[in-house]
Amino acid sequence: VLAAPHSLTRIAGLRFLEAGSPLFRARGIERLIAEAHPDVVLYPQQSMFPARVDCPAVVIIHDLYHLTIPGYCSRFQTWFRNRSYPAAVARADRVIAVSEVTRRSVVEHYGCDRRKIAVVPHGIRQLDPARVQPSRLVDVPYVYYPAVTQPHKNHELLFRTIARLKAESRFPYRLILTGARTGHWTHLEQVLRELNEAHVPCAPVKTAKEVARDPHLEHRGFWVDVQHPRRGKTRVPISPIRLHAGGKSEIRRPAPTL
C-alpha cells in the first residue's frame, strides 16, 4: 500500500492544478508510483492523477452526465470533467466502462476506439444467505433506491412521482433510500414538507444521531440524561405517553449491567 505524504485536501488541489494547467505535474506523486515499479496503474475515478506514469494505465469511466444532462452539474464540475475526462480516455491504454450505455457515451463524445473499452458492471460483495436476516423495520413490500442524494440522481422526481401514484392509490409500497446524504438533502427535505402539506404522507428515516437532536422531541421532553455505571452520562428516552392527571415520566435508575 502506497501512502502519499499529503493531506486529502492537498491531493485534491494538486489534481485540480494538473487538470487546469498542461505544464503542471505532481512530480512527487509520480516518483512515489515509479519507485513501486507497478505492472499497471488503475484509475478508478474517471480521471488520471497523476496523468503521467511509466507503465500501462487503465481508467474507469462511470458516467458522462455532464454532457448528457448538463443541467445537473455545477460550473466547476463541468470545467473539471471537460478538462480531465477526455485526456484520461486518450492517455489510458484501456478504458473500463461500467455499462454499455457508458461505453456508447464515451465512443460518441470522445471518439474512443470501441475496441479499447471493456464493459465491466459494478460488482457486489457476495454474502452467505444463511447470515442474512430479514429486518423487522420494514414489514411491507418496498421499493429500494440505493443512490447518493446528488441532484442528477433525481430523488425529487422520484418523490413527486410516488406522491402522484399514492394519491391515485397506485403505490402500495414503502420507499427505502440508503444513499449517502449530501448538501442537496436540505432541498429534498423541503420537497418532503411540501408533499406532507399536500396530504401525502412521507418523511425521511433519520439516523440515531438526528433523532437524539430532533427539536420536536427536545421540546416534548422525550429525552432524559441518566448516570450509567459503565457508560457514564447517557441520554435515554422516557415514555412518550402524557396523561393530563399524571406527572411527567421519570427514570429512577439506569438499566442493569447484564
Side-chain angles (χ1 to χ4, degrees):
V1 177
L2 299 179
H6 303 304
S7 67
L8 292 178
T9 301
R10 178 169 173 77
I11 290 175
L14 294 173
R15 186 182 180 196
F16 297 146
L17 283 173
E18 194 168 84
S21 172
L23 301 178
F24 179 83
R25 296 175 62 175
R27 296 183 183 275
I29 298 180
E30 287 180 12
R31 286 194 297 269
L32 185 68
I33 294 176
E35 290 169 359
H37 304 291
D39 296 319
V40 64
V41 175
L42 174 66
Y43 295 91
Q45 294 184 331
Q46 312 199 118
S47 62
M48 292 176 60
F49 175 77
R52 300 165 182 85
V53 291
D54 296 327
C55 64
V58 179
V59 64
I60 299 178
I61 302 296
H62 300 270
D63 60 66
L64 298 182
Y65 79 83
H66 63 293
L67 299 176
T68 56
I69 45 175
Y72 290 104
C73 256
S74 68
R75 290 183 178 180
F76 178 77
Q77 287 175 317
T78 300
W79 171 84
F80 178 75
R81 283 170 167 248
N82 284 334
R83 293 287 301 182
S84 59
Y85 288 17
V89 170
R91 285 197 185 106
D93 295 274
R94 293 297 299 271
V95 176
I96 294 176
V98 301
S99 69
E100 184 60 42
V101 171
T102 299
R103 176 162 71 170
R104 289 198 299 268
S105 293
V106 172
V107 172
E108 175 185 352
H109 292 284
Y110 296 153
C112 183
D113 187 342
R114 182 180 293 270
R115 293 170 297 181
K116 181 179 174 178
I117 309 174
V119 176
V120 182
H122 287 300
I124 60 172
R125 184 177 62 179
Q126 296 295 328
L127 297 176
D128 180 3
R131 297 176 58 189
V132 178
Q133 300 295 326
S135 172
R136 295 181 180 180
L137 297 176
V138 184
D139 55 2
V140 295
Y142 61 89
V143 173
Y144 178 46
Y145 189 43
V148 64
T149 56
Q150 295 284 5
H152 70 281
K153 298 297 183 179
N154 233 334
H155 289 75
E156 180 175 352
L157 181 59
L158 177 64
F159 292 170
R160 296 190 184 280
T161 300
I162 290 176
R164 292 186 63 179
L165 291 173
K166 289 182 73 70
E168 300 171 2
S169 300
R170 295 169 54 198
F171 193 83
Y173 311 105
R174 182 170 296 177
L175 175 63
I176 304 296
L177 307 175
T178 57
R181 297 183 185 181
T182 66
H184 185 57
W185 181 252
T186 301
H187 170 71
L188 295 177
E189 287 185 313
Q190 177 59 35
V191 173
L192 293 175
R193 285 192 290 269
E194 292 175 2
L195 294 175
N196 271 312
E197 291 171 2
H199 305 292
V200 178
C202 56
V205 176
K206 297 187 176 183
T207 64
K209 185 176 182 180
E210 290 171 331
V211 172
R213 295 179 177 178
D214 185 279
H216 174 72
L217 296 179
E218 288 279 2
H219 180 73
R220 292 270 299 166
F222 184 75
W223 303 104
V224 294
D225 294 325
V226 299
Q227 197 65 29
H228 192 273
R230 289 184 181 174
R231 301 188 58 177
K233 185 178 179 181
T234 304
R235 170 163 283 200
V236 297
I238 60 175
S239 173
I241 300 174
R242 300 289 187 271
L243 301 178
H244 292 291
K248 182 179 178 180
S249 300
E250 62 179 17
I251 295 179
R252 297 179 180 177
R253 56 180 180 272
T257 54
L258 301 177

